[in-house]
Amino acid sequence: MPLYCISVRKLSLVVIQYFRYSEEVAQKNNRRLNKKILERLIIIHNLIKSGTYPNVQKIQSYYCEKTGYEQVGVATIYRDISTLQVEFNAPIAYDPYKKGYYYTDSHWDLALNTISQDDIFYLSAVKILLSDFNNSPFYSEISRVINFVTETKLSPENTILSRIATPPAPGVVIDKELLQNIVTALEHNHIVEFDYIGRWDSPGDAPKSRRVRPYQLVLKDGMYFLFGWDETAWNDEDEKPAGGERLFFLPNMSRLRLTEDSFELPPDYDFTQKCSGSKLGVFISSQVDRYEIEFYGSARPYIKSFVWVENQEITDCEEKDVTRISFTSSQYLPLLEWILSQGKNAKPLSPQWFVDRWKEEIRGMVQNLGENA
């Protein structure tokens, strides 16, 4: 079952019910939802839903039978039934003739109870896949929700999860207050102002002031980028700032300030739609070119194992031990880094300006070798 089979609606209901009860109700009566309480709620719900009209004594007996506990108090069962009714909107009623509880709506179900074992597995796998961001508040909050859902679900632990791993990755140092302010700005569509040192700035350059309408946080290999409309951006042909879509690396941002100025999020704000079909990294440009690259030796099977660009065309020439790939892309910088990472097994053929840029990098590396060349 693919990951996208997890029902967002089901998980959302669980999270809403959890935080609504655990945070708000706990303040009223000091009764915080935990694994043991939820275990009882699920058992009571399932018993009532079975249509057997259980009374409190039968619920007590059934709970002890299912859990192995020696006893559970009558008052506890009454509180749990009340919790289901008030906090989870369960349509529970008591039938005086059958002397037991039943659901007035037979189709009602506890949201957590509708999450399948496959869903539990994939939710746990998501936590593993997100481990590159384990130093962020996102990971902490997502883990808290996933742990709540998986640990309180009445199911045996799926040991196959120990057979899934992500390789260790370098962590990015993030100013958590800055990140939280960006999230707040995203939530309310508020413009942010900050100082920024760009990748192309020279050493010793002073940070430049930016005023940005934040569209999205872009996550890549443990790194955080802010994508948005920079009102202070210059283009080469402009005599004054005309604005433009830009990416900002969070560790290079400082003195971020939330403004009271709001903006309307445009319908085409999604970063993934700005990459002209390329899947090469976090980079955007308005310039789209057609590229042609040759790969040799051990790089050939590697290149053929991925869809790098949606319109890629791959051809093989076994006699010359060459695999050629061609495509259009606006992501020239990640493309250059990708080709350089293949060393002697990759060579760009076109466009010419890109070939010249690649040669310039090679000459720079040779120059760095000095007498060792």
Side-chain angles (χ1 to χ4, degrees):
M1 177 183 292
L3 184 60
Y4 54 75
C5 285
I6 295 176
S7 167
V8 175
R9 181 176 180 275
K10 287 192 290 186
L11 180 57
S12 298
L13 286 171
V14 172
V15 175
I16 290 170
Q17 289 180 340
Y18 164 55
F19 284 107
R20 180 175 171 226
Y21 182 81
S22 185
E23 302 297 338
E24 296 180 5
V25 176
Q27 294 178 7
K28 298 177 184 177
N29 56 20
N30 296 320
R31 194 178 189 229
R32 183 174 295 276
L33 187 63
N34 56 40
K35 182 176 180 180
K36 191 170 182 179
I37 294 175
L38 186 61
E39 179 182 60
R40 289 198 308 272
L41 296 181
I42 292 175
I43 289 175
I44 293 171
H45 161 73
N46 288 336
L47 186 56
I48 294 174
K49 195 169 178 63
S50 69
T52 57
Y53 292 84
N55 56 26
V56 171
Q57 289 72 31
K58 185 173 181 179
I59 292 173
Q60 283 180 293
S61 175
Y62 184 75
Y63 173 74
C64 293
E65 177 186 329
K66 292 289 290 184
T67 62
Y69 295 126
E70 292 185 1
Q71 63 180 1
V72 59
V74 171
T76 298
I77 298 298
Y78 278 122
R79 281 198 303 270
D80 289 340
I81 292 173
S82 176
T83 295
L84 286 169
Q85 291 173 314
V86 176
E87 308 305 334
F88 291 88
N89 298 317
I92 299 175
Y94 183 81
D95 189 319
Y97 299 102
K98 296 186 179 181
K99 301 187 186 313
Y101 292 96
Y102 70 102
Y103 279 123
T104 58
D105 178 1
S106 61
H107 298 291
W108 189 88
D109 207 345
L110 191 63
L112 183 59
N113 211 44
T114 64
I115 297 180
S116 70
Q117 296 302 311
D118 284 338
D119 288 346
I120 293 297
F121 168 76
Y122 286 113
L123 278 172
S124 300
V126 164
K127 181 181 172 182
I128 296 172
L129 297 175
L130 288 173
S131 59
D132 279 355
F133 300 92
N134 62 5
N135 66 333
S136 76
F138 293 120
Y139 183 80
S140 300
E141 290 302 313
I142 291 172
S143 293
R144 187 156 69 104
V145 174
I146 290 177
N147 288 342
F148 169 77
V149 175
T150 57
E151 291 176 6
T152 55
K153 181 68 177 173
L154 297 182
S155 61
E157 184 177 352
N158 199 325
T159 57
I160 193 64
L161 287 171
S162 64
R163 311 293 290 276
I164 300 174
T166 58
V172 177
V173 178
I174 294 292
D175 182 334
K176 293 186 178 181
E177 182 179 354
L178 181 144
L179 179 58
Q180 186 56 58
N181 284 335
I182 290 175
V183 172
T184 300
L186 290 169
E187 289 175 337
H188 301 286
N189 288 337
H190 278 192
I191 294 173
V192 294
E193 297 176 346
F194 55 88
D195 294 342
Y196 190 72
I197 299 177
R199 179 170 181 173
W200 311 117
D201 291 337
S202 301
D205 283 355
K208 296 181 176 65
S209 297
R210 303 282 188 166
R211 179 178 168 88
V212 175
R213 305 170 194 172
Y215 290 171
Q216 285 180 309
L217 270 177
V218 181
L219 311 180
K220 168 70 174 176
D221 297 333
M223 295 182 291
Y224 297 75
F225 299 83
L226 175 64
F227 173 59
W229 182 271
D230 182 3
E231 296 181 356
T232 55
W234 288 70
N235 295 314
D236 293 338
E237 65 276 9
D238 296 331
E239 296 182 358
K240 61 180 182 179
E245 292 176 338
R246 296 291 189 270
L247 281 160
F248 301 94
F249 186 42
L250 262 62
N252 290 358
M253 299 166 62
S254 61
R255 299 179 62 228
L256 185 137
R257 300 168 293 284
L258 280 170
T259 74
E260 294 298 323
D261 301 328
S262 60
F263 66 96
E264 184 175 344
L265 188 67
D268 60 344
Y269 69 90
D270 189 1
F271 169 78
T272 61
Q273 304 303 315
K274 312 288 183 177
C275 302
S276 65
S278 299
K279 310 174 189 297
L280 298 170
V282 184
F283 187 85
I284 56 171
S285 170
S286 58
Q287 179 178 335
V288 179
D289 290 288
R290 185 161 192 84
Y291 295 87
E292 194 168 10
I293 308 158
E294 283 188 345
F295 293 90
Y296 318 104
S298 60
R300 294 181 62 199
Y302 168 71
I303 293 305
K304 292 186 287 186
S305 299
F306 296 88
V307 177
W308 304 97
V309 183
E310 290 177 2
N311 64 357
Q312 69 185 35
E313 297 176 4
I314 296 178
T315 56
D316 276 321
C317 181
E318 298 296 344
E319 297 81 11
K320 296 183 179 180
D321 187 30
V322 172
T323 294
R324 183 173 294 183
I325 182 172
S326 61
F327 52 81
T328 58
S329 176
S330 61
Q331 295 187 304
Y332 70 87
L333 186 57
L335 177 58
L336 177 63
E337 295 171 345
W338 175 51
I339 293 172
L340 289 169
S341 72
Q342 301 303 313
K344 66 179 183 179
N345 287 327
K347 181 177 74 174
L349 304 178
S350 65
Q352 188 57 49
W353 71 266
F354 185 76
V355 175
D356 294 340
R357 177 74 181 273
W358 171 73
K359 289 180 179 179
E360 182 182 344
E361 291 291 330
I362 299 297
R363 293 191 191 100
M365 287 189 284
V366 172
Q367 183 178 356
N368 286 338
L369 281 172
E371 297 178 356
N372 297 320

